[in-house]
Amino acid sequence: MDQELLDGIRQIVREEISGVKDDVSSLKGDVSSLKSDVSSLKNDVSGLKDDVSLLKTDVSILKTDVAEMKPQLKENTDMIRTLLARTETHGAKLDQLDLKMANLEGTEKRQNKLEEEFYHHRHKIVIETDSPDFKVG
């Protein structure tokens, strides 16, 4: 009976170990899959680090470029403001010249009209030859 009892216990242990072996084998597969995933993540993170490093370099270059452009932009803006002010001044002077030209044209027309009237102007001169009246006295 001892032998039968031992054989029964062995059988139970084998059945229990068989389930555990399947679980361990499944865990080995899962761990292997996790290792592959972690390796892939490491590669992705390494690629991201490289991308971030390139972006930092690009941003640094952009900052330098913008810093160099700021003084030129200010100078250009100041020039445009000056040109706009001068344009307004020149516009006002042109308006004054237009007004003076209009006045001159009006004056010229009046002068031409007067010249025309003087050219066609006639006088009638009457000379009387009667005896003069002298008053002595």
Side-chain angles (χ1 to χ4, degrees):
M1 169 147 147
D2 288 332
Q3 187 64 30
E4 285 180 23
L5 181 61
L6 284 176
D7 288 339
I9 291 174
R10 277 188 198 140
Q11 183 64 29
I12 291 171
V13 169
R14 282 186 189 145
E15 289 174 7
E16 290 295 321
I17 289 177
S18 170
V20 171
K21 281 183 181 179
D22 291 340
D23 290 343
V24 168
S25 177
S26 175
L27 282 174
K28 281 183 182 180
D30 291 345
V31 167
S32 176
S33 175
L34 282 174
K35 282 183 181 180
S36 173
D37 290 347
V38 167
S39 176
S40 175
L41 283 173
K42 282 182 181 180
N43 290 334
D44 291 347
V45 167
S46 176
L48 286 173
K49 282 182 180 179
D50 292 341
D51 290 347
V52 167
S53 177
L54 287 173
L55 283 173
K56 283 182 180 179
T57 303
D58 290 347
V59 167
S60 176
I61 291 169
L62 284 173
K63 282 182 179 179
T64 303
D65 290 348
V66 167
E68 290 172 1
M69 287 181 195
K70 280 184 178 180
Q72 185 65 47
L73 179 63
K74 183 181 180 329
E75 182 180 337
N76 291 350
T77 302
D78 291 344
M79 275 196 269
I80 288 172
R81 286 186 180 136
T82 301
L83 289 172
L84 285 173
R86 287 183 181 174
T87 301
E88 289 175 7
T89 301
H90 288 290
K93 287 180 180 179
L94 284 174
D95 289 344
Q96 289 174 352
L97 285 174
D98 286 344
L99 181 61
K100 287 179 181 180
M101 277 300 290
N103 286 337
L104 286 174
E105 286 173 353
T107 301
E108 181 184 21
K109 285 181 184 176
R110 285 191 304 272
Q111 183 179 353
N112 289 340
K113 184 178 177 186
L114 284 174
E115 285 177 0
E116 184 72 21
E117 287 177 8
F118 283 135
Y119 179 75
H120 295 293
H121 185 74
R122 293 190 179 142
H123 290 279
K124 185 175 182 179
I125 299 175
V126 177
I127 299 176
E128 292 183 16
T129 58
D130 286 346
S131 59
D133 282 341
F134 293 108
K135 290 185 180 179
V136 180

